[in-house]
Amino acid sequence: MLARRRRRRARRLDPRRRHDLLDLRKQGLVGVSAEGLCAERILLTLQNRTDRSLRVAVPLGTRFRAHGSHQDVVLRHPYRLQLPPRCEVQAHLPFFCLEAFARSPAWGDAFGPPRRLRGPLHRFLLHASGLQPAAAQAGIWTLTDGCTRADVRRRLVCEDGSGRHQAAISHAAMDQAQTLLDDLAIEHHLGPTRADQLDRIEELVRAGGRRGEAARWALELAAEDFARHGPAHAHSVESRGLLVRVLAWDRRVADALAAGAVLA
């Protein structure tokens, strides 16, 4: 009975067009399973249960719920797959994570059936193709978990040459996510705090070749301090020794501060 129903449904499919994976699964024409490969990719397995070749579209924003303590994931891009009759096809697909404070998926982690992503998160992903992957991940986590810049930088880390952990995402990348969210009128928490601004200057100082940019941010922060608290706090960036290092690179900024140009 079930096999007969599947054959009828398969015959109604137009062989010239691609069919949404979620619709095919709902009709029982394609079996779907997914498991983790690493912290960035899943193994997607599709089984064609019909006697016809199927052209399958895996839509952007396809979500897989975790079976376990690891994060849910959402595919980074739309995909197209060809399924021969009664055959199984596998693909290694990159994803974004959806829960910032759960552990990252690893090899063998199981996932449930695919679901369609909706709402602001789906709208963000539709426009995020031009972002760096880390910037898109920051935008996702601020929507799913309310993450701030500091949260994202604590969560996205890597090891430097000496084995020490450091943020794997720059403030410039988070600026990209913030700009896109603002353009889409989606509420978020990626706006920089004062601590984020200080951290940005320190990041640029460590980078070495970004003197002009570091000086500009230092001057803007000093101007904000002056506007809020008066001249006694105009140079409070010095509390972390950053302004002195930046100004040693750019004499024009030092002269501007000395002349009270921060008032402008």
Side-chain angles (χ1 to χ4, degrees):
M1 184 72 174
L2 181 59
R4 192 180 308 148
R5 194 179 304 148
R6 284 177 182 165
R7 284 196 295 270
R8 284 200 304 266
R9 290 171 178 169
R11 282 197 296 267
R12 288 197 292 265
L13 295 177
D14 184 347
R16 296 168 297 179
R17 58 180 289 263
R18 294 192 180 274
H19 301 278
D20 190 305
L21 172 63
L22 282 75
D23 294 336
L24 292 173
R25 178 189 170 275
K26 187 176 180 179
Q27 297 179 62
L29 302 180
V30 172
V32 183
S33 64
E35 65 179 44
L37 287 175
C38 60
E40 295 181 350
R41 289 179 178 269
I42 61 169
L43 174 65
L44 179 65
T45 302
L46 304 182
Q47 182 184 24
N48 186 347
R49 294 171 174 166
T50 77
D51 297 319
R52 295 184 170 217
S53 180
L54 297 177
R55 304 174 71 193
V56 180
V58 185
L60 175 69
T62 300
R63 175 178 186 163
F64 293 87
R65 284 197 175 277
H67 283 174
S69 60
H70 50 289
Q71 301 187 56
D72 291 2
V73 301
V74 60
L75 297 184
R76 291 188 185 183
H77 310 289
Y79 297 94
R80 296 179 174 183
L81 299 169
Q82 186 79 24
L83 303 186
R86 299 291 174 184
C87 284
E88 187 175 272
V89 172
Q90 294 184 321
H92 298 182
L93 305 181
F95 61 77
F96 292 117
C97 293
L98 293 181
E99 283 94 24
F101 303 108
R103 71 171 176 83
S104 298
W107 184 86
D109 281 340
F111 294 89
R115 301 187 179 186
R116 206 179 303 277
L117 203 63
R118 302 186 185 279
L121 185 53
H122 185 237
R123 193 152 56 93
F124 173 75
L125 278 175
L126 287 175
H127 294 84
S129 59
L131 299 183
Q132 299 175 28
Q137 185 64 77
I140 289 169
W141 278 345
T142 196
L143 296 178
T144 59
D145 296 83
C147 287
T148 64
R149 285 190 176 222
D151 292 331
V152 173
R153 283 173 66 82
R154 281 193 294 266
R155 187 70 180 87
L156 280 179
V157 296
C158 61
E159 288 188 359
D160 61 16
S162 59
R164 291 175 299 186
H165 285 88
Q166 63 180 16
I169 180 171
S170 67
H171 283 282
M174 281 192 283
D175 287 343
Q176 293 179 13
Q178 179 188 350
T179 298
L180 178 57
L181 288 164
D182 288 341
D183 290 344
L184 296 173
I186 298 175
E187 291 187 11
H188 62 86
H189 303 276
L190 291 184
T193 63
R194 176 181 172 74
D196 293 328
Q197 291 172 306
L198 287 165
D199 194 53
R200 180 201 298 272
I201 297 169
E202 187 168 357
E203 178 184 272
L204 293 170
V205 168
R206 287 197 303 267
R210 312 282 291 279
R211 300 180 180 185
E213 191 176 350
R216 178 174 64 82
W217 282 105
L219 182 56
E220 285 187 13
L221 191 56
E224 288 180 12
D225 286 342
F226 189 98
R228 290 176 184 173
H229 308 293
H233 296 275
H235 298 177
S236 60
V237 184
E238 289 182 357
S239 62
R240 292 178 62 178
L242 296 174
L243 189 58
V244 172
R245 294 160 66 190
V246 172
L247 298 185
W249 287 339
D250 198 323
R251 188 67 219 170
R252 291 170 300 172
V253 176
D255 291 343
L257 285 171
V262 291
L263 282 170

